Each structure stands twice: as structure tokens, then as C-alpha cells.
Amino acid sequence: QVQLVESGGGSAQAGGSLRLSCATSVIKTHCMAWFRQAPGQEREGVAAISARDGPTFYADSVKGRFTISQDNANNTVYLQMNSLKPEDTAMYYCAAKQPRFWCNRFAAYDNWGQGTQVTVSS
């Protein structure tokens, strides 16, 4: 069973920054991604990265503000969120899938963490 443990959520003011972390043992063998779900809305893929420092993919809504990265030595995937907006408020989930390519196919992700809340105030 794939385990994904998120941390780093919290509150920030608009324009501020937060960094989310996802600890997992499958970082070298899976595509890794971050999703978010706001109340009353569908879950959406935010960013994805291919295993072993492959290419990255971003939703248009976060491009230029969010950065996904991975630390293979520490088995951790990060989501650095800058220039936060109130509309970024959501529960954020770490996710993983195989194979470790086509990582921008967000509908194919089938392993999920428990989520971490991000709240951005204006």
C-alpha cells in the first residue's frame, strides 16, 4: 500500500507563501502530484512531477506562482506556493501513480494522502 503523508498547510494572507510537504517511499518509482479541493468544487490537479527529477506540469491557475519539487534523498515532494490568493483556499492532497510517465494525466492518480488545509485570507 502506498503511503503519502502531507504536512505544512495552514493560514496565510494574500500575497504570502506556504510550503507543503509529502513524505512517501515511492518517490523514485511513481509520478507525484498535488491536487486541491475547495468546498463545493471538484478536486483539481495543481502540479505534477515525474520520478527521478523528470518534467513538471502545472495547472494554468497556479503557473508562475507554485513550484513542485522532490528531494529523493529524503523521500519528500514539496509544493512551494507563492503569491497566494484567497481562491487558493482548499484542502490540498498529495497523490501518486504508476507508471512514472504521463504524469500530467491527473485523472489517472489512484493513491492519496489524507490532505492538509490551506486557507488564504484577503
Side-chain angles (χ1 to χ4, degrees), residues 72-104:
N72 290 341
N74 292 309
N75 292 328
T76 302
V77 177
Y78 301 100
L79 185 68
Q80 178 67 44
M81 305 185 293
N82 298 329
S83 302
L84 284 164
K85 303 176 181 180
E87 51 263 43
D88 295 320
T89 295
M91 185 71 79
Y92 283 72
Y93 298 89
C94 180
K97 76 164 190 72
Q98 284 187 310
R100 58 176 180 83
F101 45 85
W102 301 328
C103 296
N104 57 335

PDB file of all heavy atoms in Angstrom, residues 72-104:
ATOM      1  N   ASN A  72      14.866  13.372  -3.450  1.00  0.00           N
ATOM      2  CA  ASN A  72      14.925  11.909  -3.432  1.00  0.00           C
ATOM      3  C   ASN A  72      15.652  11.375  -2.206  1.00  0.00           C
ATOM      4  O   ASN A  72      15.326  10.294  -1.708  1.00  0.00           O
ATOM      5  CB  ASN A  72      15.602  11.402  -4.706  1.00  0.00           C
ATOM      6  CG  ASN A  72      14.741  11.607  -5.938  1.00  0.00           C
ATOM      7  OD1 ASN A  72      13.537  11.795  -5.814  1.00  0.00           O
ATOM      8  ND2 ASN A  72      15.350  11.584  -7.103  1.00  0.00           N
ATOM      9  N   ALA A  73      16.615  12.118  -1.708  1.00  0.00           N
ATOM     10  CA  ALA A  73      17.367  11.652  -0.543  1.00  0.00           C
ATOM     11  C   ALA A  73      16.481  11.568   0.699  1.00  0.00           C
ATOM     12  O   ALA A  73      16.682  10.703   1.559  1.00  0.00           O
ATOM     13  CB  ALA A  73      18.549  12.571  -0.287  1.00  0.00           C
ATOM     14  N   ASN A  74      15.495  12.461   0.775  1.00  0.00           N
ATOM     15  CA  ASN A  74      14.602  12.495   1.933  1.00  0.00           C
ATOM     16  C   ASN A  74      13.206  11.970   1.630  1.00  0.00           C
ATOM     17  O   ASN A  74      12.311  12.083   2.469  1.00  0.00           O
ATOM     18  CB  ASN A  74      14.508  13.926   2.478  1.00  0.00           C
ATOM     19  CG  ASN A  74      15.814  14.387   3.091  1.00  0.00           C
ATOM     20  OD1 ASN A  74      16.374  13.684   3.931  1.00  0.00           O
ATOM     21  ND2 ASN A  74      16.305  15.547   2.673  1.00  0.00           N
ATOM     22  N   ASN A  75      13.034  11.410   0.411  1.00  0.00           N
ATOM     23  CA  ASN A  75      11.732  10.828   0.043  1.00  0.00           C
ATOM     24  C   ASN A  75      10.580  11.800   0.270  1.00  0.00           C
ATOM     25  O   ASN A  75       9.551  11.439   0.859  1.00  0.00           O
ATOM     26  CB  ASN A  75      11.489   9.529   0.818  1.00  0.00           C
ATOM     27  CG  ASN A  75      12.426   8.422   0.397  1.00  0.00           C
ATOM     28  OD1 ASN A  75      12.830   8.341  -0.750  1.00  0.00           O
ATOM     29  ND2 ASN A  75      12.786   7.570   1.343  1.00  0.00           N
ATOM     30  N   THR A  76      10.763  13.031  -0.190  1.00  0.00           N
ATOM     31  CA  THR A  76       9.758  14.058   0.055  1.00  0.00           C
ATOM     32  C   THR A  76       9.493  14.849  -1.225  1.00  0.00           C
ATOM     33  O   THR A  76      10.421  15.174  -1.967  1.00  0.00           O
ATOM     34  CB  THR A  76      10.218  15.010   1.163  1.00  0.00           C
ATOM     35  OG1 THR A  76      10.473  14.253   2.354  1.00  0.00           O
ATOM     36  CG2 THR A  76       9.161  16.058   1.461  1.00  0.00           C
ATOM     37  N   VAL A  77       8.228  15.143  -1.454  1.00  0.00           N
ATOM     38  CA  VAL A  77       7.800  16.017  -2.538  1.00  0.00           C
ATOM     39  C   VAL A  77       7.280  17.313  -1.910  1.00  0.00           C
ATOM     40  O   VAL A  77       6.589  17.263  -0.888  1.00  0.00           O
ATOM     41  CB  VAL A  77       6.696  15.360  -3.388  1.00  0.00           C
ATOM     42  CG1 VAL A  77       6.214  16.311  -4.477  1.00  0.00           C
ATOM     43  CG2 VAL A  77       7.208  14.064  -4.004  1.00  0.00           C
ATOM     44  N   TYR A  78       7.600  18.425  -2.525  1.00  0.00           N
ATOM     45  CA  TYR A  78       7.213  19.727  -1.996  1.00  0.00           C
ATOM     46  C   TYR A  78       6.319  20.467  -2.986  1.00  0.00           C
ATOM     47  O   TYR A  78       6.397  20.266  -4.197  1.00  0.00           O
ATOM     48  CB  TYR A  78       8.447  20.583  -1.726  1.00  0.00           C
ATOM     49  CG  TYR A  78       9.423  19.979  -0.750  1.00  0.00           C
ATOM     50  CD1 TYR A  78      10.574  19.338  -1.185  1.00  0.00           C
ATOM     51  CD2 TYR A  78       9.189  20.050   0.620  1.00  0.00           C
ATOM     52  CE1 TYR A  78      11.466  18.774  -0.293  1.00  0.00           C
ATOM     53  CE2 TYR A  78      10.078  19.485   1.525  1.00  0.00           C
ATOM     54  CZ  TYR A  78      11.220  18.852   1.049  1.00  0.00           C
ATOM     55  OH  TYR A  78      12.102  18.299   1.947  1.00  0.00           O
ATOM     56  N   LEU A  79       5.498  21.348  -2.433  1.00  0.00           N
ATOM     57  CA  LEU A  79       4.771  22.316  -3.237  1.00  0.00           C
ATOM     58  C   LEU A  79       5.009  23.679  -2.608  1.00  0.00           C
ATOM     59  O   LEU A  79       4.466  23.965  -1.538  1.00  0.00           O
ATOM     60  CB  LEU A  79       3.275  22.007  -3.315  1.00  0.00           C
ATOM     61  CG  LEU A  79       2.496  22.935  -4.241  1.00  0.00           C
ATOM     62  CD1 LEU A  79       2.889  22.704  -5.699  1.00  0.00           C
ATOM     63  CD2 LEU A  79       0.980  22.739  -4.059  1.00  0.00           C
ATOM     64  N   GLN A  80       5.833  24.474  -3.255  1.00  0.00           N
ATOM     65  CA  GLN A  80       6.080  25.836  -2.790  1.00  0.00           C
ATOM     66  C   GLN A  80       5.026  26.740  -3.411  1.00  0.00           C
ATOM     67  O   GLN A  80       4.899  26.795  -4.639  1.00  0.00           O
ATOM     68  CB  GLN A  80       7.479  26.287  -3.208  1.00  0.00           C
ATOM     69  CG  GLN A  80       7.803  27.714  -2.818  1.00  0.00           C
ATOM     70  CD  GLN A  80       7.900  27.909  -1.321  1.00  0.00           C
ATOM     71  OE1 GLN A  80       8.502  27.110  -0.617  1.00  0.00           O
ATOM     72  NE2 GLN A  80       7.307  28.988  -0.826  1.00  0.00           N
ATOM     73  N   MET A  81       4.278  27.419  -2.564  1.00  0.00           N
ATOM     74  CA  MET A  81       3.178  28.262  -3.027  1.00  0.00           C
ATOM     75  C   MET A  81       3.482  29.702  -2.685  1.00  0.00           C
ATOM     76  O   MET A  81       3.555  30.061  -1.503  1.00  0.00           O
ATOM     77  CB  MET A  81       1.865  27.812  -2.371  1.00  0.00           C
ATOM     78  CG  MET A  81       1.558  26.331  -2.591  1.00  0.00           C
ATOM     79  SD  MET A  81      -0.054  25.838  -1.941  1.00  0.00           S
ATOM     80  CE  MET A  81       0.225  26.053  -0.194  1.00  0.00           C
ATOM     81  N   ASN A  82       3.686  30.513  -3.697  1.00  0.00           N
ATOM     82  CA  ASN A  82       3.968  31.940  -3.528  1.00  0.00           C
ATOM     83  C   ASN A  82       2.827  32.774  -4.091  1.00  0.00           C
ATOM     84  O   ASN A  82       1.988  32.265  -4.842  1.00  0.00           O
ATOM     85  CB  ASN A  82       5.276  32.296  -4.234  1.00  0.00           C
ATOM     86  CG  ASN A  82       6.473  31.569  -3.673  1.00  0.00           C
ATOM     87  OD1 ASN A  82       6.525  31.243  -2.484  1.00  0.00           O
ATOM     88  ND2 ASN A  82       7.465  31.298  -4.512  1.00  0.00           N
ATOM     89  N   SER A  83       2.817  34.030  -3.744  1.00  0.00           N
ATOM     90  CA  SER A  83       1.788  34.957  -4.243  1.00  0.00           C
ATOM     91  C   SER A  83       0.397  34.361  -4.061  1.00  0.00           C
ATOM     92  O   SER A  83      -0.431  34.379  -4.985  1.00  0.00           O
ATOM     93  CB  SER A  83       2.039  35.296  -5.712  1.00  0.00           C
ATOM     94  OG  SER A  83       3.316  35.864  -5.885  1.00  0.00           O
ATOM     95  N   LEU A  84       0.137  33.868  -2.883  1.00  0.00           N
ATOM     96  CA  LEU A  84      -1.134  33.194  -2.621  1.00  0.00           C
ATOM     97  C   LEU A  84      -2.317  34.136  -2.779  1.00  0.00           C
ATOM     98  O   LEU A  84      -2.224  35.345  -2.500  1.00  0.00           O
ATOM     99  CB  LEU A  84      -1.118  32.593  -1.222  1.00  0.00           C
ATOM    100  CG  LEU A  84      -0.302  31.303  -1.086  1.00  0.00           C
ATOM    101  CD1 LEU A  84      -0.027  31.010   0.386  1.00  0.00           C
ATOM    102  CD2 LEU A  84      -1.023  30.137  -1.740  1.00  0.00           C
ATOM    103  N   LYS A  85      -3.419  33.547  -3.228  1.00  0.00           N
ATOM    104  CA  LYS A  85      -4.666  34.287  -3.428  1.00  0.00           C
ATOM    105  C   LYS A  85      -5.763  33.618  -2.599  1.00  0.00           C
ATOM    106  O   LYS A  85      -5.690  32.407  -2.317  1.00  0.00           O
ATOM    107  CB  LYS A  85      -5.064  34.252  -4.900  1.00  0.00           C
ATOM    108  CG  LYS A  85      -4.019  34.788  -5.854  1.00  0.00           C
ATOM    109  CD  LYS A  85      -4.473  34.631  -7.305  1.00  0.00           C
ATOM    110  CE  LYS A  85      -3.431  35.147  -8.279  1.00  0.00           C
ATOM    111  NZ  LYS A  85      -3.876  34.993  -9.695  1.00  0.00           N
ATOM    112  N   PRO A  86      -6.796  34.360  -2.232  1.00  0.00           N
ATOM    113  CA  PRO A  86      -7.907  33.739  -1.487  1.00  0.00           C
ATOM    114  C   PRO A  86      -8.495  32.532  -2.226  1.00  0.00           C
ATOM    115  O   PRO A  86      -8.931  31.571  -1.579  1.00  0.00           O
ATOM    116  CB  PRO A  86      -8.915  34.872  -1.359  1.00  0.00           C
ATOM    117  CG  PRO A  86      -8.074  36.103  -1.352  1.00  0.00           C
ATOM    118  CD  PRO A  86      -6.960  35.825  -2.323  1.00  0.00           C
ATOM    119  N   GLU A  87      -8.487  32.552  -3.536  1.00  0.00           N
ATOM    120  CA  GLU A  87      -9.038  31.423  -4.298  1.00  0.00           C
ATOM    121  C   GLU A  87      -8.153  30.184  -4.246  1.00  0.00           C
ATOM    122  O   GLU A  87      -8.538  29.126  -4.763  1.00  0.00           O
ATOM    123  CB  GLU A  87      -9.312  31.816  -5.748  1.00  0.00           C
ATOM    124  CG  GLU A  87      -8.157  32.474  -6.468  1.00  0.00           C
ATOM    125  CD  GLU A  87      -8.255  33.992  -6.450  1.00  0.00           C
ATOM    126  OE1 GLU A  87      -8.596  34.571  -5.376  1.00  0.00           O
ATOM    127  OE2 GLU A  87      -7.958  34.607  -7.504  1.00  0.00           O
ATOM    128  N   ASP A  88      -6.985  30.283  -3.654  1.00  0.00           N
ATOM    129  CA  ASP A  88      -6.150  29.102  -3.424  1.00  0.00           C
ATOM    130  C   ASP A  88      -6.588  28.323  -2.183  1.00  0.00           C
ATOM    131  O   ASP A  88      -6.069  27.236  -1.910  1.00  0.00           O
ATOM    132  CB  ASP A  88      -4.682  29.493  -3.268  1.00  0.00           C
ATOM    133  CG  ASP A  88      -4.077  30.081  -4.527  1.00  0.00           C
ATOM    134  OD1 ASP A  88      -4.384  29.572  -5.625  1.00  0.00           O
ATOM    135  OD2 ASP A  88      -3.314  31.054  -4.407  1.00  0.00           O
ATOM    136  N   THR A  89      -7.522  28.872  -1.434  1.00  0.00           N
ATOM    137  CA  THR A  89      -8.020  28.203  -0.237  1.00  0.00           C
ATOM    138  C   THR A  89      -8.673  26.878  -0.609  1.00  0.00           C
ATOM    139  O   THR A  89      -9.576  26.822  -1.453  1.00  0.00           O
ATOM    140  CB  THR A  89      -9.032  29.093   0.493  1.00  0.00           C
ATOM    141  OG1 THR A  89      -8.357  30.264   0.965  1.00  0.00           O
ATOM    142  CG2 THR A  89      -9.664  28.361   1.662  1.00  0.00           C
ATOM    143  N   ALA A  90      -8.191  25.787  -0.011  1.00  0.00           N
ATOM    144  CA  ALA A  90      -8.684  24.449  -0.337  1.00  0.00           C
ATOM    145  C   ALA A  90      -7.988  23.438   0.557  1.00  0.00           C
ATOM    146  O   ALA A  90      -7.014  23.763   1.249  1.00  0.00           O
ATOM    147  CB  ALA A  90      -8.417  24.106  -1.802  1.00  0.00           C
ATOM    148  N   MET A  91      -8.499  22.206   0.512  1.00  0.00           N
ATOM    149  CA  MET A  91      -7.757  21.078   1.060  1.00  0.00           C
ATOM    150  C   MET A  91      -6.804  20.607  -0.032  1.00  0.00           C
ATOM    151  O   MET A  91      -7.243  20.387  -1.174  1.00  0.00           O
ATOM    152  CB  MET A  91      -8.708  19.960   1.457  1.00  0.00           C
ATOM    153  CG  MET A  91      -8.034  18.785   2.164  1.00  0.00           C
ATOM    154  SD  MET A  91      -7.490  19.196   3.830  1.00  0.00           S
ATOM    155  CE  MET A  91      -9.045  19.088   4.686  1.00  0.00           C
ATOM    156  N   TYR A  92      -5.550  20.450   0.312  1.00  0.00           N
ATOM    157  CA  TYR A  92      -4.535  20.022  -0.651  1.00  0.00           C
ATOM    158  C   TYR A  92      -4.135  18.578  -0.369  1.00  0.00           C
ATOM    159  O   TYR A  92      -3.895  18.201   0.782  1.00  0.00           O
ATOM    160  CB  TYR A  92      -3.311  20.935  -0.572  1.00  0.00           C
ATOM    161  CG  TYR A  92      -3.527  22.264  -1.266  1.00  0.00           C
ATOM    162  CD1 TYR A  92      -4.362  23.225  -0.705  1.00  0.00           C
ATOM    163  CD2 TYR A  92      -2.919  22.548  -2.481  1.00  0.00           C
ATOM    164  CE1 TYR A  92      -4.590  24.430  -1.350  1.00  0.00           C
ATOM    165  CE2 TYR A  92      -3.130  23.762  -3.128  1.00  0.00           C
ATOM    166  CZ  TYR A  92      -3.972  24.696  -2.554  1.00  0.00           C
ATOM    167  OH  TYR A  92      -4.194  25.903  -3.200  1.00  0.00           O
ATOM    168  N   TYR A  93      -4.067  17.799  -1.452  1.00  0.00           N
ATOM    169  CA  TYR A  93      -3.765  16.377  -1.349  1.00  0.00           C
ATOM    170  C   TYR A  93      -2.528  16.035  -2.157  1.00  0.00           C
ATOM    171  O   TYR A  93      -2.374  16.487  -3.303  1.00  0.00           O
ATOM    172  CB  TYR A  93      -4.926  15.534  -1.872  1.00  0.00           C
ATOM    173  CG  TYR A  93      -6.213  15.702  -1.119  1.00  0.00           C
ATOM    174  CD1 TYR A  93      -7.132  16.680  -1.467  1.00  0.00           C
ATOM    175  CD2 TYR A  93      -6.513  14.864  -0.037  1.00  0.00           C
ATOM    176  CE1 TYR A  93      -8.319  16.833  -0.778  1.00  0.00           C
ATOM    177  CE2 TYR A  93      -7.697  15.007   0.656  1.00  0.00           C
ATOM    178  CZ  TYR A  93      -8.601  15.995   0.286  1.00  0.00           C
ATOM    179  OH  TYR A  93      -9.775  16.137   0.977  1.00  0.00           O
ATOM    180  N   CYS A  94      -1.698  15.215  -1.583  1.00  0.00           N
ATOM    181  CA  CYS A  94      -0.588  14.607  -2.306  1.00  0.00           C
ATOM    182  C   CYS A  94      -1.099  13.321  -2.948  1.00  0.00           C
ATOM    183  O   CYS A  94      -1.923  12.607  -2.348  1.00  0.00           O
ATOM    184  CB  CYS A  94       0.542  14.307  -1.330  1.00  0.00           C
ATOM    185  SG  CYS A  94       2.005  13.547  -2.071  1.00  0.00           S
ATOM    186  N   ALA A  95      -0.629  13.021  -4.158  1.00  0.00           N
ATOM    187  CA  ALA A  95      -1.094  11.836  -4.863  1.00  0.00           C
ATOM    188  C   ALA A  95       0.058  11.203  -5.627  1.00  0.00           C
ATOM    189  O   ALA A  95       1.054  11.865  -5.942  1.00  0.00           O
ATOM    190  CB  ALA A  95      -2.227  12.201  -5.816  1.00  0.00           C
ATOM    191  N   ALA A  96      -0.107   9.924  -5.955  1.00  0.00           N
ATOM    192  CA  ALA A  96       0.916   9.187  -6.686  1.00  0.00           C
ATOM    193  C   ALA A  96       0.271   8.222  -7.658  1.00  0.00           C
ATOM    194  O   ALA A  96      -0.870   7.772  -7.439  1.00  0.00           O
ATOM    195  CB  ALA A  96       1.822   8.427  -5.715  1.00  0.00           C
ATOM    196  N   LYS A  97       0.993   7.908  -8.732  1.00  0.00           N
ATOM    197  CA  LYS A  97       0.502   6.918  -9.683  1.00  0.00           C
ATOM    198  C   LYS A  97       1.694   6.273 -10.395  1.00  0.00           C
ATOM    199  O   LYS A  97       2.785   6.829 -10.465  1.00  0.00           O
ATOM    200  CB  LYS A  97      -0.431   7.553 -10.717  1.00  0.00           C
ATOM    201  CG  LYS A  97       0.277   8.352 -11.800  1.00  0.00           C
ATOM    202  CD  LYS A  97      -0.649   8.600 -12.963  1.00  0.00           C
ATOM    203  CE  LYS A  97       0.079   9.192 -14.168  1.00  0.00           C
ATOM    204  NZ  LYS A  97       0.949   8.169 -14.826  1.00  0.00           N
ATOM    205  N   GLN A  98       1.424   5.129 -10.933  1.00  0.00           N
ATOM    206  CA  GLN A  98       2.335   4.493 -11.876  1.00  0.00           C
ATOM    207  C   GLN A  98       1.608   4.374 -13.213  1.00  0.00           C
ATOM    208  O   GLN A  98       0.388   4.369 -13.253  1.00  0.00           O
ATOM    209  CB  GLN A  98       2.735   3.095 -11.369  1.00  0.00           C
ATOM    210  CG  GLN A  98       3.745   3.134 -10.262  1.00  0.00           C
ATOM    211  CD  GLN A  98       4.241   1.748  -9.904  1.00  0.00           C
ATOM    212  OE1 GLN A  98       3.441   0.826  -9.682  1.00  0.00           O
ATOM    213  NE2 GLN A  98       5.538   1.590  -9.813  1.00  0.00           N
ATOM    214  N   PRO A  99       2.342   4.254 -14.328  1.00  0.00           N
ATOM    215  CA  PRO A  99       3.802   4.328 -14.440  1.00  0.00           C
ATOM    216  C   PRO A  99       4.327   5.745 -14.211  1.00  0.00           C
ATOM    217  O   PRO A  99       3.555   6.684 -14.101  1.00  0.00           O
ATOM    218  CB  PRO A  99       4.050   3.869 -15.874  1.00  0.00           C
ATOM    219  CG  PRO A  99       2.809   4.284 -16.600  1.00  0.00           C
ATOM    220  CD  PRO A  99       1.685   4.101 -15.625  1.00  0.00           C
ATOM    221  N   ARG A 100       5.666   5.884 -14.190  1.00  0.00           N
ATOM    222  CA  ARG A 100       6.271   7.170 -13.849  1.00  0.00           C
ATOM    223  C   ARG A 100       6.487   8.037 -15.086  1.00  0.00           C
ATOM    224  O   ARG A 100       7.505   8.719 -15.213  1.00  0.00           O
ATOM    225  CB  ARG A 100       7.585   6.964 -13.094  1.00  0.00           C
ATOM    226  CG  ARG A 100       8.627   6.148 -13.835  1.00  0.00           C
ATOM    227  CD  ARG A 100       9.921   6.084 -13.044  1.00  0.00           C
ATOM    228  NE  ARG A 100      10.937   5.317 -13.730  1.00  0.00           N
ATOM    229  CZ  ARG A 100      11.719   5.782 -14.677  1.00  0.00           C
ATOM    230  NH1 ARG A 100      11.592   7.040 -15.064  1.00  0.00           N
ATOM    231  NH2 ARG A 100      12.619   5.010 -15.240  1.00  0.00           N
ATOM    232  N   PHE A 101       5.526   8.005 -15.994  1.00  0.00           N
ATOM    233  CA  PHE A 101       5.500   8.953 -17.106  1.00  0.00           C
ATOM    234  C   PHE A 101       4.038   9.306 -17.345  1.00  0.00           C
ATOM    235  O   PHE A 101       3.134   8.752 -16.715  1.00  0.00           O
ATOM    236  CB  PHE A 101       6.170   8.391 -18.366  1.00  0.00           C
ATOM    237  CG  PHE A 101       5.790   6.966 -18.706  1.00  0.00           C
ATOM    238  CD1 PHE A 101       4.656   6.675 -19.432  1.00  0.00           C
ATOM    239  CD2 PHE A 101       6.597   5.911 -18.277  1.00  0.00           C
ATOM    240  CE1 PHE A 101       4.312   5.370 -19.736  1.00  0.00           C
ATOM    241  CE2 PHE A 101       6.259   4.597 -18.591  1.00  0.00           C
ATOM    242  CZ  PHE A 101       5.114   4.328 -19.317  1.00  0.00           C
ATOM    243  N   TRP A 102       3.796  10.231 -18.291  1.00  0.00           N
ATOM    244  CA  TRP A 102       2.466  10.799 -18.475  1.00  0.00           C
ATOM    245  C   TRP A 102       1.941  11.340 -17.140  1.00  0.00           C
ATOM    246  O   TRP A 102       0.791  11.120 -16.765  1.00  0.00           O
ATOM    247  CB  TRP A 102       1.479   9.791 -19.060  1.00  0.00           C
ATOM    248  CG  TRP A 102       1.893   9.253 -20.391  1.00  0.00           C
ATOM    249  CD1 TRP A 102       2.610   9.919 -21.365  1.00  0.00           C
ATOM    250  CD2 TRP A 102       1.634   7.953 -20.904  1.00  0.00           C
ATOM    251  NE1 TRP A 102       2.796   9.096 -22.436  1.00  0.00           N
ATOM    252  CE2 TRP A 102       2.220   7.890 -22.208  1.00  0.00           C
ATOM    253  CE3 TRP A 102       0.964   6.843 -20.419  1.00  0.00           C
ATOM    254  CZ2 TRP A 102       2.148   6.750 -22.988  1.00  0.00           C
ATOM    255  CZ3 TRP A 102       0.888   5.717 -21.226  1.00  0.00           C
ATOM    256  CH2 TRP A 102       1.486   5.675 -22.489  1.00  0.00           C
ATOM    257  N   CYS A 103       2.778  12.042 -16.423  1.00  0.00           N
ATOM    258  CA  CYS A 103       2.421  12.495 -15.079  1.00  0.00           C
ATOM    259  C   CYS A 103       1.366  13.591 -15.096  1.00  0.00           C
ATOM    260  O   CYS A 103       0.775  13.882 -14.061  1.00  0.00           O
ATOM    261  CB  CYS A 103       3.657  12.974 -14.336  1.00  0.00           C
ATOM    262  SG  CYS A 103       4.864  11.668 -14.055  1.00  0.00           S
ATOM    263  N   ASN A 104       1.129  14.209 -16.248  1.00  0.00           N
ATOM    264  CA  ASN A 104       0.107  15.245 -16.327  1.00  0.00           C
ATOM    265  C   ASN A 104      -1.283  14.673 -16.562  1.00  0.00           C
ATOM    266  O   ASN A 104      -2.242  15.434 -16.708  1.00  0.00           O
ATOM    267  CB  ASN A 104       0.450  16.252 -17.429  1.00  0.00           C
ATOM    268  CG  ASN A 104       0.625  15.606 -18.788  1.00  0.00           C
ATOM    269  OD1 ASN A 104       0.940  14.425 -18.888  1.00  0.00           O
ATOM    270  ND2 ASN A 104       0.435  16.376 -19.839  1.00  0.00           N
TER     271      ASN A 104
END
